[in-house]
Amino acid sequence: MFRYCPACASENIRFEQNKVFRCPDCGLTYYHNTAAATACVVRSEAGLLFLVRDREPRKGKLDLPGGFVDPGEGAMDGLRREFLEELGLDAAPEALTLFASFPNTYPYKNFSYNTCDLFFYMDAPGLTEADLRLEKSEISAARFIKPEDLVPEDIAFESVKKAIRVYLALPR
Ligand SMILES: [Zn+2]
């Protein structure tokens, strides 16, 4: 959060409605907009693919592959890039199906980011851990977990818990 106006250095800057900084002294208005983020449920015979987070927030908890959408990217482009970075896996955009979206807050360093999480699923028959090249700075391990063995408390984020519930209830 800004303690001083980034334009005029006034201490009177205010953060309003959980989204906008306004400075009464110079008129600055800055929207701390919701960021788009993607995540994907990857299913193979071995189960659903989860990644064990190796950094805060929620280090050691389970997450799905995905991440923030970068400027200039569509959601599928962002997810494809994250797949390559995190897993060394190339996912064709047509293999991805959007099935849910939930809001999330992602605390990182001094900021809390409001995100709009977009959840996709992808069937990856035959995929195993041996096919993955994990990004070791962010992920400590990959685990394929059968839906019946999944413990919701092990999942890092509420939005992911909700999405998994929706995913498992999909008519298939
Ligand atoms: Zn100002």
Side-chain angles (χ1 to χ4, degrees):
M1 295 292 124
F2 298 129
R3 287 182 55 208
Y4 302 97
C5 173
C8 77
S10 166
E11 289 182 35
N12 296 321
I13 190 161
R14 293 284 177 267
F15 190 53
E16 299 170 354
Q17 299 163 287
N18 197 30
K19 67 180 180 184
V20 58
F21 288 95
R22 289 186 205 281
C23 175
D25 294 331
C26 75
L28 173 121
T29 301
Y30 174 77
Y31 280 88
H32 185 55
N33 285 328
T34 297
T38 60
C40 190
V41 181
V42 178
R43 182 176 209 147
S44 81
E45 288 84 348
L48 309 182
L49 173 62
F50 285 92
L51 306 177
V52 181
R53 295 178 60 80
D54 200 23
R55 71 173 189 191
E56 297 298 342
R58 315 281 161 77
K59 189 173 172 176
K61 294 285 189 180
L62 300 177
D63 204 355
L64 293 171
F68 285 102
V69 178
D70 277 349
E73 284 182 335
M76 267 97 138
D77 304 322
L79 188 50
R80 192 174 195 180
R81 174 183 49 72
E82 293 286 352
F83 265 102
L84 283 168
E85 289 173 5
E86 294 182 329
L87 307 172
L89 210 63
D90 197 9
E94 56 272 21
L96 303 167
T97 302
L98 179 72
F99 72 93
S101 179
F102 295 109
N104 192 10
T105 51
Y106 187 88
Y108 187 69
K109 307 220 164 153
N110 296 326
F111 270 102
S112 178
Y113 295 88
N114 294 304
T115 65
C116 173
D117 290 354
L118 303 162
F119 291 92
F120 295 81
Y121 69 78
M122 183 176 85
D123 289 322
L127 188 75
T128 67
E129 278 181 59
D131 300 313
L132 306 175
R133 284 197 324 275
L134 296 182
E135 184 177 34
K136 281 301 186 181
S137 60
E138 297 192 8
I139 300 160
S140 61
R143 288 171 61 195
F144 285 90
I145 303 176
K146 302 266 189 207
E148 60 271 27
D149 296 332
L150 195 57
V151 179
E153 293 70 42
D154 291 344
I155 297 175
F157 301 108
E158 280 306 314
S159 62
V160 175
K161 282 184 212 176
K162 271 191 263 180
I164 294 289
R165 277 203 296 274
V166 171
Y167 173 80
L168 293 175
L170 290 177
R172 306 260 291 165

